[in-house]
Amino acid sequence: MLLIGFYIAITAEAMTAALAAGRRNMDWFGVCLIACVTALGGGTMRDIFLDHYPLVWVANPYVLLLVCGAALLTIPLARLVERLRWPFLLLDALGLVVFTVIGCNIGIEAGVHPIIVIVAGMVTGTAGGILRDVLCNDIPLIFQGELYASVSMIAGIVYYLGLTGGVQQDLMAILAMVLGFALRVLAIAFKWEMPKFVYDRNMRK
Amino acid sequence: MLLIGFYIAITAEAMTAALAAGRRNMDWFGVCLIACVTALGGGTMRDIFLDHYPLVWVANPYVLLLVCGAALLTIPLARLVERLRWPFLLLDALGLVVFTVIGCNIGIEAGVHPIIVIVAGMVTGTAGGILRDVLCNDIPLIFQGELYASVSMIAGIVYYLGLTGGVQQDLMAILAMVLGFALRVLAIAFKWEMPKFVYDRNMRK
Amino acid sequence: MLLIGFYIAITAEAMTAALAAGRRNMDWFGVCLIACVTALGGGTMRDIFLDHYPLVWVANPYVLLLVCGAALLTIPLARLVERLRWPFLLLDALGLVVFTVIGCNIGIEAGVHPIIVIVAGMVTGTAGGILRDVLCNDIPLIFQGELYASVSMIAGIVYYLGLTGGVQQDLMAILAMVLGFALRVLAIAFKWEMPKFVYDRNMRK
């Protein structure tokens, strides 16, 4: 079930990443690279931090083909993908919670401290989007107040607490994902935002 | 032979990277760092992805001195290097194909899937330039339509297919490099470009 | 002693990084992430380059809490932290030399070439600030002429030469840190700068 969610999520991430690349007039290769970085960058970073080899896409290179295929397919379908804004926001929210739970699982397998389990989930869920924005030369969107990383953190904490509380793993994964998904969708719908730290004094370090 | 090509290529990459740093008024340290990242960043990234340690420059730190020396030497010679634009484009094309073949070889040694062999070649050939542009705060040049990553991909595929087809390794390396080099030079000469995905609707994810 | 210096240094780095995030109107999560990247990014990069696992913050996740706590505490205290500019410059200088000596030690333990020992010190001391500037979408400050990486290099060289010359390790660490600290403070006080490579001819590669 997580695996199906994973494939749906990387496909959706690849398609929205392709649109971001298209808005910067990138060529087809750039579109594929931005899609790969966005869809697979979070998991790659997590695996490098945890020394967890081989990387997902090295062990199973067909995910690269899937991501590049989805990204290239987005080019002729751009107008359609744009009109499907809500479905894609939902798929993106699904991806966030699926990636988070997968990341937590890998942290648990690696036997790291609970804090690092949560961090592994958050890195998996959010680092791809941050890398995308760095490559596109933006200040990462994720820092602009959206409840995104915080949803990942809450889903990860709930998932981990449930597991240590003895709840069966598959059930707990579903519960954490439903909770995180609902939270993310509500945050979008009601424009919930994280407080920002606005500091504009002209001081250079 | 690959080794000689490698030293020529990192020297040339270091010198053109130094010019990029100079255009952003960086200090001497910045010039050295941009040169190291450009010349050695692709191989470093490949080795981290493949868990292939020690890294090239950790095992042989004299390449760092070579790269920094070439970069600092570029400062007094900037006007000369600029006038030698064509020779440097040729050296850069040489570097691209040499890096690609070296990267494919390391992928083959590591026993990874053929797709990852090609990707290892592409990362080696192109990631340094991408990192340079990120550090210089540009949208990576490589995404702007030039046939660069695609040349690396084609050279890698031809090289790998030749090897599996039984061609002797040194011969196949030369063939793949000549093909890639010719393709790259023709692409520059005739301004061949990759199609771009231009998408300017005002949609934010 | 190094450990105490390490905790003081990451706290100070976290607080100045939080101000940088605040100047870009980031949300609380962005503030924490920028703080973690700045305070721990250099050591993380060094450990990945040297294949030195587990990473500092994976082995001891409480440093993450310390960094995030210090960063969030900076938000209500921003005006105070700004007024304490000189103390923070001194703490930052302390961090630079402490990080450098810690990085050199890890390089020595890993048994790498002396050049790489110095590089390990420099990466530990300076890469966090570079990553911060990349995430904040600036051209890294460190390339703009300040004596920063060069202080790290000199402290590292002196430290390594002293050790190979037979000086006792703790004593040599203190000597190298005092020298580096003095050099950095003098550089700030007298606005010593590294020469820049200014090259503004309109040549695109």
Side-chain angles (χ1 to χ4, degrees):
Chain A
M1 190 198 61
L2 270 179
L3 205 67
I4 296 170
F6 173 73
Y7 284 118
I8 295 174
I10 61 171
T11 307
E13 298 263 311
M15 296 180 83
T16 51
L19 285 188
R23 277 191 289 271
R24 274 155 201 86
N25 305 338
M26 291 189 185
D27 63 30
W28 291 4
F29 173 74
V31 169
C32 286
L33 188 94
I34 297 289
C36 288
V37 165
T38 309
L40 304 170
T44 298
M45 218 175 226
R46 174 205 62 217
D47 286 345
I48 292 174
F49 287 159
L50 298 182
D51 199 20
H52 180 264
Y53 285 94
L55 304 180
V56 172
W57 51 270
V58 172
N60 176 11
Y62 298 103
V63 299
L64 290 179
L65 300 186
L66 174 65
V67 167
C68 291
L72 292 176
L73 200 68
T74 307
I75 296 178
L77 300 180
R79 257 157 234 294
L80 179 64
V81 173
E82 187 194 336
R83 233 175 287 150
L84 297 174
R85 215 189 142 212
W86 259 99
F88 270 93
L89 279 175
L90 296 182
L91 288 174
D92 184 71
L94 177 73
L96 177 65
V97 295
V98 169
F99 284 177
T100 299
V101 168
I102 291 176
C104 288
N105 280 341
I106 287 177
I108 292 168
E109 280 167 40
V112 292
H113 187 282
I115 294 175
I116 302 300
V117 170
I118 312 301
V119 170
M122 292 174 71
V123 168
T124 314
T126 65
I130 295 174
L131 290 174
R132 175 197 61 210
D133 291 341
V134 168
L135 277 180
C136 288
N137 205 12
D138 282 332
I139 292 189
L141 247 184
I142 197 177
F143 304 158
Q144 308 301 306
E146 274 194 69
L147 290 192
Y148 200 86
S150 21
V151 166
S152 175
M153 189 171 70
I154 292 169
I157 290 174
V158 167
Y159 181 59
Y160 187 80
L161 289 182
L163 289 187
T164 53
V167 184
Q168 195 263 332
Q169 183 157 6
D170 286 354
L171 175 64
M172 201 57 232
I174 293 173
L175 288 178
M177 289 195 293
V178 168
L179 172 82
F181 186 81
L183 209 60
R184 175 72 187 138
V185 171
L186 289 172
I188 299 173
F190 295 105
K191 295 191 198 305
W192 291 344
E193 290 217 345
M194 236 201 161
K196 285 189 194 177
F197 173 28
V198 177
Y199 184 68
D200 61 0
R201 281 301 193 85
N202 238 343
M203 177 196 124
R204 290 295 281 182
K205 184 177 133 189
Chain B
M1 189 197 63
L2 270 180
L3 206 66
I4 295 172
F6 174 72
Y7 284 117
I8 294 175
I10 60 172
T11 308
E13 297 263 310
M15 295 180 84
T16 52
L19 285 188
R23 276 191 290 271
R24 274 153 200 88
N25 306 338
M26 290 189 184
D27 63 29
W28 291 5
F29 173 74
V31 169
C32 286
L33 188 94
I34 297 290
C36 288
V37 164
T38 310
L40 304 170
T44 298
M45 218 173 225
R46 173 206 63 216
D47 286 346
I48 291 173
F49 287 158
L50 297 182
D51 199 20
H52 179 264
Y53 286 94
L55 304 181
V56 172
W57 51 271
V58 172
N60 176 13
Y62 297 104
V63 299
L64 289 180
L65 300 186
L66 174 65
V67 167
C68 290
L72 292 176
L73 201 67
T74 308
I75 296 178
L77 300 179
R79 257 155 235 295
L80 179 64
V81 173
E82 187 193 335
R83 232 175 288 147
L84 296 174
R85 214 188 143 214
W86 260 98
F88 271 91
L89 280 175
L90 295 183
L91 287 174
D92 184 71
L94 176 72
L96 177 65
V97 294
V98 169
F99 284 176
T100 300
V101 168
I102 290 175
C104 288
N105 281 340
I106 287 177
I108 292 169
E109 280 168 40
V112 293
H113 187 282
I115 294 175
I116 302 300
V117 170
I118 312 299
V119 170
M122 291 173 73
V123 168
T124 314
T126 65
I130 295 173
L131 290 174
R132 176 196 60 209
D133 291 341
V134 168
L135 277 180
C136 288
N137 205 11
D138 283 333
I139 292 189
L141 248 182
I142 198 178
F143 304 159
Q144 307 302 307
E146 275 194 68
L147 290 192
Y148 199 86
S150 21
V151 166
S152 174
M153 190 171 70
I154 292 169
I157 291 174
V158 167
Y159 181 58
Y160 187 79
L161 288 182
L163 289 187
T164 53
V167 183
Q168 195 263 331
Q169 182 157 6
D170 287 354
L171 176 64
M172 200 56 230
I174 293 173
L175 288 178
M177 289 195 292
V178 167
L179 172 81
F181 187 80
L183 208 59
R184 175 72 186 136
V185 170
L186 289 172
I188 299 171
F190 294 105
K191 295 191 199 305
W192 289 346
E193 292 216 345
M194 236 202 160
K196 286 189 195 178
F197 172 27
V198 177
Y199 183 67
D200 61 2
R201 282 299 192 88
N202 241 345
M203 176 194 125
R204 291 295 280 182
K205 185 177 135 190
Chain C
M1 189 197 62
L2 271 180
L3 205 66
I4 295 171
F6 174 72
Y7 284 117
I8 295 175
I10 60 172
T11 308
E13 299 263 310
M15 297 180 81
T16 52
L19 286 188
R23 276 191 290 271
R24 274 155 201 86
N25 305 340
M26 292 189 183
D27 63 29
W28 292 4
F29 173 74
V31 169
C32 286
L33 188 94
I34 297 289
C36 288
V37 164
T38 309
L40 304 170
T44 298
M45 216 173 227
R46 173 205 62 217
D47 287 345
I48 292 173
F49 287 159
L50 297 182
D51 198 19
H52 179 264
Y53 286 94
L55 303 181
V56 173
W57 51 270
V58 172
N60 176 12
Y62 297 103
V63 300
L64 289 179
L65 300 186
L66 174 65
V67 167
C68 290
L72 293 176
L73 200 68
T74 308
I75 296 177
L77 300 179
R79 257 157 233 294
L80 179 65
V81 172
E82 187 194 338
R83 232 176 286 148
L84 296 174
R85 212 189 145 214
W86 260 98
F88 271 92
L89 280 175
L90 295 182
L91 288 174
D92 183 73
L94 177 73
L96 176 66
V97 295
V98 169
F99 284 176
T100 299
V101 168
I102 291 175
C104 289
N105 280 340
I106 287 175
I108 291 168
E109 279 167 39
V112 293
H113 187 283
I115 294 175
I116 302 301
V117 170
I118 311 300
V119 170
M122 292 173 71
V123 168
T124 314
T126 65
I130 295 174
L131 290 173
R132 176 197 61 210
D133 291 341
V134 167
L135 277 180
C136 287
N137 205 11
D138 284 333
I139 291 189
L141 248 183
I142 197 176
F143 304 159
Q144 306 301 307
E146 274 195 69
L147 290 192
Y148 200 87
S150 21
V151 166
S152 175
M153 189 172 71
I154 292 169
I157 292 175
V158 167
Y159 181 59
Y160 187 80
L161 288 182
L163 289 186
T164 52
V167 184
Q168 196 263 330
Q169 183 157 7
D170 288 354
L171 176 64
M172 202 55 231
I174 293 173
L175 288 177
M177 289 195 292
V178 168
L179 173 81
F181 186 80
L183 208 59
R184 174 73 186 137
V185 171
L186 289 172
I188 299 172
F190 295 106
K191 297 193 198 302
W192 290 345
E193 291 216 344
M194 237 201 161
K196 286 188 195 177
F197 173 28
V198 178
Y199 183 68
D200 60 2
R201 281 302 193 84
N202 242 345
M203 176 195 127
R204 290 295 282 182
K205 187 178 132 190

